[in-house]
Amino acid sequence: MIRELLKKKRLFCDGGMGSLLQGMGLKAGEAPEIWNLTNPDKITEIHKAYLEAGADIITSNTFGVNCEKYENFAELIEAGISCVKNAINGKAEKFAALDIGPTGRLLEPLGDLSFQRAVEIFAENVKAGVKAGADLIIIETMNDSLETKAAVLAAKENSSLPVFVTNVYDEGGNLMTGADPLAMVAMLEGLRVDALGLNCSLGPDKMLPVVKKLAEYSSTPIIVNPNAGLPTVENGKTVYNVDAESFSDCMVEIARCGAAVLGGCCGTTPEFIKRTVEKCRDLPYTPTESKNITVVSSYTHGVVIGDAPILIGERINPTGKSKFKEALRQGDINYIVNEGLSQADTGVGVLDINVGLPEIDEKEMMVKSITALQAVCDTPLQIDTSNPSVMAAAMRIYNGKPLINSVNGEKESMEKIFPLVAKYGGTVVALTLDKSGIPETAEGRVEIALKIIETAKEYGIDKKDIVVDPLTLTVSSDPKSAETTLKAVSMLNEMGISTVLGVSNISFGMPKRELINTVFFANALHSGLKLAIMNPFSQGMMNTYYSFKALNGFDPAFGEYIAYAEGVTAETAQSVKAGDLKTAVLKGLKAESESFAEKLLTEISPLDIINSHVIPALNEIGAAFEAKKAFLPQLLMSAEAAVAAIDIAKRKIPVNSADSAKKVVIATVKGDIHDIGKNIVKVMLESYGFTVTDLGRDVEPEKIVETALKDNCKLVGLSALMTTTVPSMEETVRQLHKADPEICVMVGGAVLTQSYSDMIGADKYAKDAMAAVRIAEEFYK
Amino acid sequence: MIKTVNLSPQDITLSDLEVAARLKTKLGYTDNAVEECKAELFKVITPKFCYSQTEVSIINEDTCRFDFGELVSRNLAENLKNCKKAYLLAATVGVSTDRFIARCLSLSPAKGFIADALSSAAVEAVCDYADSFLRGENKKPMRFSAGYGDLDLKNQPIILERLSAYKNVGITLTKGFLMVPQKSVTAILGVQDD
C-alpha cells in the first residue's frame, strides 16, 4: 500500500530517538533497544508523539539489534515492532517500519565479515520483523555499499515488504567506502528497492548537493532524514546546532528538489517533524519520474552508457593466452588482479572478466577474482560467463551494478538470465542470435534485439538496462560482414538503443589484424557504437578511440587527447635510454631491465643473461644490504627488476630444464593475516631463480603439509608477525616434520628470534629476506 | 561528549624518524619510488580522529578507572599515575588507504611494502596532530594504546564503543580485535596535573 501512496503523495518519517530517551532517563552507554523490553511504555510514548506530529512512517527502536550482539534479538525486535503498532493502534495510512542498522563491521576482503554471513545476520532481523507484523523495512545509516547490498538481499529474500534504504554521505558526497550518489542509485535500483536516499551525519543544508544528484539520476522515490545539524555541548548536554525552524525551512527546499519521503535523524524531535509536515504537506507533489539512464557501476562510481563511447578491456580472459590459463590452474588471483589494474590505468570504462576453463571450478574462481578485484580496482566489471550459476554467484557478491555478458534471443537463455537481472540488477548485453543462428541481414539482427527487449519487459527489466551486441563476424569468411554489423549498429542507434561490439573479431584469420581492427573500430564509432570490447594495449585502437572522441565533441577541451598523446611520447622516449642490464637491476628499474633483457636476448644465451648480468647485480645489492649500505626498498625493487628480466630470458629456455627443481613452499601461518614480510621473501627467492609456491596468509598446517608433499618440496618457509600466532607456527613445524623428516623448515617474522626458532623446533631461522635467500642457496647447493 | 575532527591530507606531516623506522632505512633516506608513493598516498588518505575527555583514578597498581569503566593494566596505571584526566583518542587514515596498500601490493611487493610503511607513518602523524591539538606542548605521559605492555588488545572494543568510533570515524574491529581500516590507532593520552 505504501508503494501506491508514494505515487500520490509525499510521506513523512519520524525523527531521532536517542536524545529523547536520554531525556527520559536512558544512561550514557546504555543500549536504547533494551528499553523495548524494560520500558515499552516510554518507547510507545515517543512513537505516539511522532504520530501526533504528523509522521506517517514510524521506525522501530531496533537500530542496534542483531543476532551477533544479542541472543534475544528476536524478542527485542518483536517488542520494538509492538511498541510501534501499539502507538499506531490501527490508524489508517500509518506504517510500522522495521529499522535495520549496520553491523558495525567491515566486509571481506577489507574486514573479516563474509558477504554471506552479513546476509544471514540481516535475514534474522527481517524474519523477526516480518513475524512481528512490520509494514515495511528501513535499512538506514549504511556507510558501505556492499553491506547495504547484503541487507537489501536479506530483506528481499525473506519478505515481500517494501524496502527503503538510506546511506550516510560525507560532506564530499561519498559513502565512507567510496560510493557516490550515482553508484548508489545504480546499485539500489538494480536491487529494486522502493525508496532510496540518505540520513544521519549531516544537517539538512549540507545534504542538498547529494539530494540534487539523487534527484537527477533516480527513478525511485527519494527519502531524506537529516540530523539536526552538528552536535555541540551546552551545559554539559549534547545539543544540535540547527533548530526546528531552520531545519523545516531546509526541508522545504529538499522537498522542492524532489524528495518524496521526509523525516529526521539524530537530534531531531517531534517538533522538527511537526514543522516539517506543516511546511511541506501542501507543497505540490510530483511522483518520481523515470530517468532514462543506462548505467553500470563499481563501489565508487557509475559509468553512464549512451553518450561518449566507452571501452571495455578484454584482457581478463584465458582464450588464447597460455600464461593466463596457467595462472587460473594455479589459482593465482594476483595475476588476474594485475591484468585488471594495468588495463584500468589505460582509461577503459569497464573491465570484462572471464575465468572459464574446463578443468577449474569456474564459480569459485569467478567469486574469488571479483572479490579481489573489487577490493583494489574501482572500474566497473562486465561479468562474462556462459554458465548461469556462475553468473548468479558473481552478481550476488558484486559491489555495484555490473554489465552482464550475456543473454541471447533463445528462450532458454532469457529464462535463465533475466530472473538474475531482475533480482540482483545489471545492464545486460543482448546478442542478436537465436535458435536459427545469426541472421545474415542487419534487419534480422535488429528484429532479434527487439524481441529480447520485449521479453525483458515481462521480467520487469526496462529497455534502458539492455545494450545490444549485433555481433562482429570475421570479414575473412564473409566480405559483407562488416557492412552488415555496421548497418545494425546504425539502425539500433537511431532507435535509441545502445550497442556493444567485440571489435577485434572482425579480423580473425587475417594477417596484421590491428590494421583491419582500427579501421573497423573507427567505422563502428562513426555508426554510433557506444561500447567496444577491445585490447587497451593496442596502440592503434587507442589512437583511434582518443582521436574519434576529440573529433566528435566528446572531448571538448581536448584534455583527454592531449594527456593520451603525451603518454605515447613519453613511452617512446623511455625505450631508448642508455645503460646496461646490470645497472638497471641494481637501480631497481623494471621497465628498463625488461628492455635490456630483450635486447641482450638477440646477442647471448638466456642463461648467460641470468648468470652474467642479473645474478651479479643481485649479489651486489644483496651484499650492500647486508652491510647496511642499501635498504629494504632498494633490495626489493632490484629483486622485482631481476624477476622481470629473468621472465624475459626464460621465454627462450625450454620448460623444466632450468631451476624448477629448486622449489620452496612459503606461507604465513594460521591465525596471522600479515603477509608483507612473506611477500618480500617470495620476491627475493624468485629473483634468485627459486620456484616459489605461495600459499598466502592464515594457512592451515594441513594445507602446508599437503602442498609440500604433493610438490615433493623439501624446503618450507613459514612467517608469523604476532606472538599469538607462534604456537600455530610450532604446530605447523611439528606436522611438517612428522609428515617428512627430511623437510627443512625455515621461519621468520617480526617476533621471531634464533632462540624462539630453536624452541619451536624449526630447522633454520631467517632474520630477513636476504638471510632466507642464503638459507635456500645453501640448502640446494 | 565526543568530538570528531576531519583533517585534509595537507594538515599532517610525516615524521622522518617514523618513515625511516617503518621503511627500515637510515634517517633521511628517500628515493623516487618512496616519493612517488608518498604523493599517491596523500591523494587517497582521509585522515580523521575523534576524542573524548575522561576522569582518571588509579584504583590500585594495576587498575585505572575512567568514566566509561575500568581497564586492568599495570603499565597503564604507571603511565597515568600523575593524571586526573585523560583523552581517549581514535585516529585513522581511512579505508581508502587499505585499498591503496592492497593495490600497490598487487602491482609490486616493493611498492606494497613502501605504501604500508608510509601509511603507518601517516596514521602516526594524525596521532601527533591530535596530540598537539589536545595536549599542546606538554605531550607527557606518552600516548598509550591497547596492545602496549600488559594492556590487552581485548580492551579495544570498550575504547572504540566509548568513542562511537564506527559512527564517527569508521573504525571497525575484526573478531581477533584488529582494527579495520588497518591504519588506525586508539590511544589514551594522560593529562598531567600542573
Side-chain angles (χ1 to χ4, degrees):
Chain A
M1 187 168 77
I2 199 164
R3 293 180 179 121
E4 291 308 310
L5 267 186
L6 272 175
K7 288 178 190 158
K8 287 184 270 177
K9 65 171 194 173
R10 183 172 290 114
L11 293 177
F12 296 92
C13 263
D14 57 5
M17 173 71 83
S19 35
L20 297 178
L21 287 176
Q22 274 166 19
M24 287 175 158
L26 181 80
K27 293 189 193 76
E30 192 184 354
E33 50 268 17
I34 303 292
W35 277 33
N36 293 347
L37 293 171
T38 56
N39 290 297
D41 293 347
K42 287 185 175 157
I43 302 290
T44 307
E45 197 182 309
I46 293 176
H47 292 328
K48 276 187 183 161
Y50 277 117
L51 283 164
E52 277 159 26
D56 307 299
I57 299 164
I58 303 295
T59 48
S60 60
N61 177 34
T62 51
F63 178 79
V65 182
N66 69 51
C67 61
E68 295 223 317
K69 274 194 222 157
Y70 294 101
E71 246 175 55
N72 64 338
F73 68 94
E75 201 186 353
L76 286 167
I77 289 172
E78 279 167 38
I81 298 285
S82 288
C83 292
V84 180
K85 296 197 84 119
N86 288 340
I88 291 175
N89 194 21
K91 282 189 202 78
E93 296 193 352
K94 300 288 174 185
F95 305 94
L98 167 68
D99 186 289
I100 295 181
T103 59
R105 291 172 61 196
L106 260 179
L107 269 66
E108 288 173 347
L110 297 172
D112 67 341
L113 180 62
S114 74
F115 184 80
Q116 190 46 37
R117 179 62 193 147
V119 175
E120 285 163 13
I121 292 170
F122 291 122
E124 293 297 336
N125 285 33
V126 172
K127 285 182 215 159
V130 169
K131 198 172 153 210
D135 300 312
L136 74 149
I137 296 168
I138 294 189
I139 296 163
E140 60 142 314
T141 323
M142 287 284 172
N143 275 319
D144 174 34
S145 49
L146 194 56
E147 186 179 14
T148 309
K149 179 168 179 173
V152 174
L153 281 178
K156 293 275 178 185
E157 288 175 348
N158 295 282
S159 82
S160 52
L161 297 176
V163 179
F164 289 15
V165 178
T166 55
N167 290 104
V168 182
Y169 291 83
D170 60 23
E171 277 199 57
N174 298 94
L175 305 199
M176 182 184 83
T177 51
D180 66 12
L182 176 58
M184 287 317 296
V185 169
M187 175 194 264
L188 291 170
E189 288 194 341
L191 291 164
R192 294 352 187 214
V193 303
D194 298 282
L196 60 88
L198 69 167
N199 77 303
C200 209
S201 187
L202 306 171
D205 49 334
K206 298 270 170 65
M207 282 189 171
L208 257 175
V210 175
V211 175
K212 283 180 180 161
K213 287 225 168 111
L214 292 174
E216 185 185 340
Y217 305 128
S218 178
S219 311
T220 306
I222 294 164
I223 168 169
V224 184
N225 293 332
N227 282 355
L230 293 169
T232 55
V233 178
E234 270 173 30
N235 305 325
K237 271 183 139 184
T238 304
V239 292
Y240 286 78
N241 69 355
V242 175
D243 63 14
E245 193 57 36
S246 32
F247 180 90
S248 49
D249 285 341
C250 275
M251 293 308 273
V252 170
E253 208 176 327
I254 285 174
R256 287 202 171 114
C257 285
V261 184
L262 303 173
C265 196
C266 305
T268 60
T269 64
E271 182 62 21
F272 283 67
I273 300 305
K274 183 165 173 264
R275 298 211 187 176
T276 301
V277 174
E278 282 167 3
K279 290 179 188 172
C280 300
R281 191 172 32 203
D282 299 326
L283 292 176
Y285 180 70
T286 329
T288 315
E289 282 165 9
S290 190
K291 317 282 188 299
N292 193 25
I293 303 174
T294 302
V295 60
V296 292
S297 70
S298 69
Y299 63 87
T300 54
H301 66 281
V303 171
V304 176
I305 298 165
D307 188 23
I310 290 157
L311 304 179
I312 303 176
E314 68 179 9
R315 302 279 305 164
I316 307 180
N317 189 322
T319 311
K321 301 190 194 96
S322 56
K323 227 178 154 187
F324 197 115
K325 285 181 185 158
E326 188 51 31
L328 285 179
R329 282 186 210 107
Q330 297 291 329
D332 184 356
I333 301 289
N334 198 45
Y335 185 90
I336 294 162
V337 171
N338 265 314
E339 281 287 351
L341 286 174
S342 53
Q343 289 181 92
D345 281 345
T346 66
V348 297
V350 178
L351 291 173
D352 184 84
I353 174 163
N354 180 322
V355 293
L357 207 60
E359 61 267 40
I360 65 158
D361 181 341
E362 186 188 351
K363 189 190 285 184
E364 191 193 345
M365 182 56 70
M366 181 65 100
V367 167
K368 275 190 182 166
S369 304
I370 291 179
T371 305
L373 257 176
Q374 67 188 9
V376 297
C377 179
D378 67 0
T379 308
L381 298 180
Q382 165 165 282
I383 305 169
D384 182 358
T385 173
S386 53
N387 181 334
S389 84
V390 174
M391 184 61 84
M395 290 172 76
R396 189 173 178 84
I397 53 103
Y398 182 65
N399 193 354
K401 180 185 181 189
L403 255 179
I404 307 299
N405 191 2
S406 60
V407 71
N408 63 48
E410 285 188 52
K411 193 162 160 272
E412 302 75 50
S413 167
M414 292 191 277
E415 279 172 358
K416 283 188 175 131
I417 296 301
F418 284 151
L420 298 177
V421 179
K423 177 174 180 182
Y424 296 114
T427 296
V428 60
V429 173
L431 307 182
T432 57
L433 59 90
D434 62 13
K435 255 200 196 110
S436 342
I438 303 170
E440 280 179 17
T441 62
E443 289 76 8
R445 295 185 197 178
V446 171
E447 196 181 316
I448 294 181
L450 296 177
K451 186 180 82 185
I452 296 173
I453 289 168
E454 212 45 47
T455 311
K457 282 189 192 143
E458 295 165 18
Y459 293 84
I461 299 163
D462 199 86
K463 177 179 158 191
K464 72 173 184 191
D465 282 334
I466 294 178
V467 294
V468 174
D469 182 347
L471 299 167
T472 315
L473 302 176
T474 174
V475 75
S476 62
S477 64
D478 172 11
K480 281 196 165 245
S481 84
E483 196 187 321
T484 309
T485 302
L486 294 173
K487 188 175 173 194
V489 168
S490 278
M491 288 173 72
L492 289 160
N493 192 42
E494 273 163 31
M495 298 163 100
I497 298 167
S498 291
T499 49
V500 52
L501 288 175
V503 181
S504 43
N505 293 343
I506 196 71
S507 62
F508 197 78
M510 305 278 280
K512 292 271 178 197
R513 293 182 61 182
E514 199 182 42
L515 303 181
I516 300 271
N517 290 347
T518 48
V519 175
F520 177 68
F521 183 35
N523 281 337
L525 289 170
H526 189 70
S527 304
L529 182 72
K530 298 301 177 198
L531 292 154
I533 306 178
M534 46 80 81
N535 175 8
F537 299 118
S538 155
Q539 199 175 330
M541 296 292 272
M542 296 307 268
N543 293 349
T544 306
Y545 176 68
Y546 284 104
S547 307
F548 175 84
K549 278 178 53 168
L551 291 169
N552 289 277
F554 293 118
D555 183 9
F558 303 112
E560 284 183 49
Y561 177 79
I562 291 166
Y564 171 73
E566 279 169 356
V568 173
T569 323
E571 240 169 60
T572 325
Q574 204 172 14
S575 57
V576 294
K577 249 184 211 165
D580 65 87
L581 179 57
K582 189 181 164 198
T583 316
V585 172
L586 265 176
K587 289 190 174 169
L589 304 169
K590 196 168 160 185
E592 281 80 352
S593 300
E594 278 173 343
S595 42
F596 287 129
E598 289 279 9
K599 219 173 106 197
L600 276 174
L601 212 44
T602 59
E603 300 160 15
I604 57 176
S605 82
L607 275 177
D608 269 351
I609 294 181
I610 296 173
N611 293 330
S612 336
H613 294 261
V614 179
I615 296 292
L618 281 174
N619 284 338
E620 195 172 322
I621 188 88
F625 175 76
E626 282 162 332
K628 296 196 167 49
K629 284 180 184 152
F631 304 103
L632 195 51
Q634 295 160 294
L635 184 67
L636 278 170
M637 283 185 290
S638 287
E640 275 176 43
V643 171
I646 291 171
D647 274 352
I648 303 272
K650 269 190 183 165
R651 282 193 221 140
K652 287 274 178 79
I653 304 177
V655 184
N656 294 336
S657 74
D659 285 332
S660 60
K662 285 164 59 180
K663 284 185 269 194
V664 190
V665 170
I666 63 169
T668 300
V669 298
K670 180 73 197 155
D672 208 323
I673 58 165
H674 299 88
D675 57 0
I676 287 269
K678 181 217 62 187
N679 292 335
I680 292 171
V681 171
K682 178 185 178 186
V683 180
M684 291 308 299
L685 287 170
E686 283 178 343
S687 71
Y688 273 83
F690 294 93
T691 304
V692 181
T693 306
D694 178 7
L695 294 175
R697 59 189 191 178
D698 197 11
V699 187
E700 302 278 357
E702 293 75 14
K703 189 172 175 196
I704 300 172
V705 172
E706 185 197 313
T707 311
L709 294 181
K710 194 183 75 194
D711 291 2
N712 191 25
C713 173
K714 304 288 186 190
L715 183 58
V716 177
L718 301 177
S719 158
L721 185 92
M722 300 189 297
T723 38
T724 47
T725 48
V726 175
S728 155
M729 182 180 260
E730 182 173 16
E731 173 60 17
T732 312
V733 174
R734 195 190 63 76
Q735 290 198 24
L736 280 164
H737 283 157
K738 193 178 159 206
D740 180 354
E742 277 182 29
I743 289 180
C744 171
V745 186
M746 63 170 161
V747 298
V751 296
L752 283 161
T753 58
Q754 182 67 55
S755 60
Y756 235 152
S757 159
D758 295 343
M759 211 165 71
I760 63 171
D763 301 292
K764 296 280 176 191
Y765 164 66
K767 73 173 170 50
D768 56 33
M770 262 331 280
V773 170
R774 302 288 181 230
I775 290 168
E777 283 185 317
E778 185 64 27
F779 184 81
Y780 282 109
K781 218 173 191 174
Chain B
M1 176 65 191
I2 306 156
K3 283 211 167 180
T4 304
V5 179
N6 288 300
L7 299 175
S8 90
Q10 287 72 42
D11 292 329
I12 61 165
T13 315
L14 304 192
S15 133
D16 291 342
L17 207 63
E18 195 70 35
V19 170
R22 302 283 175 176
L23 282 175
K24 301 185 193 300
T25 61
K26 67 178 180 196
L27 189 60
Y29 171 84
T30 192
D31 60 32
N32 274 347
V34 172
E35 291 305 314
E36 272 169 27
C37 188
K38 200 187 284 177
E40 281 180 55
L41 175 68
F42 271 70
K43 283 185 203 148
V44 299
I45 52 171
T46 53
K48 52 197 156 192
F49 64 93
C50 63
Y51 64 93
S52 92
Q53 204 178 44
T54 170
E55 307 281 326
V56 180
S57 50
I58 313 293
I59 307 283
N60 57 43
E61 62 188 15
D62 67 358
T63 310
C64 307
R65 178 177 295 157
F66 303 93
D67 294 354
F68 56 91
E70 290 175 2
L71 293 177
V72 178
S73 157
R74 187 178 289 262
N75 300 125
L76 179 62
E78 173 65 25
N79 176 277
L80 293 176
K81 67 183 173 197
N82 295 323
C83 308
K84 292 206 173 64
K85 282 186 189 308
Y87 288 104
L88 214 53
L89 170 73
T92 184
V93 280
V95 74
S96 50
T97 311
D98 287 21
R99 291 191 192 274
F100 174 68
I101 297 169
R103 186 185 164 107
C104 291
L105 204 51
S106 303
L107 291 169
S108 138
K111 199 172 171 193
F113 169 75
I114 295 167
D116 189 87
L118 294 177
S119 304
S120 296
V123 71
E124 279 306 318
V126 180
C127 291
D128 288 341
Y129 182 100
D131 204 342
S132 298
F133 179 85
L134 296 171
R135 298 196 294 184
E137 290 294 301
N138 186 14
K139 294 194 186 66
K140 280 181 187 166
M142 124 187 154
R143 300 196 287 270
F144 205 94
S145 295
Y148 286 8
D150 61 351
L151 181 60
D152 202 298
L153 215 51
K154 287 185 180 138
N155 289 302
Q156 209 65 283
I158 313 167
I159 298 169
L160 290 170
E161 265 166 43
R162 167 65 190 134
L163 288 168
S164 301
Y166 174 65
K167 195 180 160 195
N168 290 315
V169 290
I171 300 176
T172 70
L173 271 187
T174 68
K175 291 252 164 183
F177 302 106
L178 297 177
M179 284 185 278
V180 185
Q182 283 180 56
K183 302 303 172 189
S184 300
V185 169
T186 64
I188 298 160
L189 286 64
V191 178
Q192 276 178 346
D193 301 339
D194 293 325

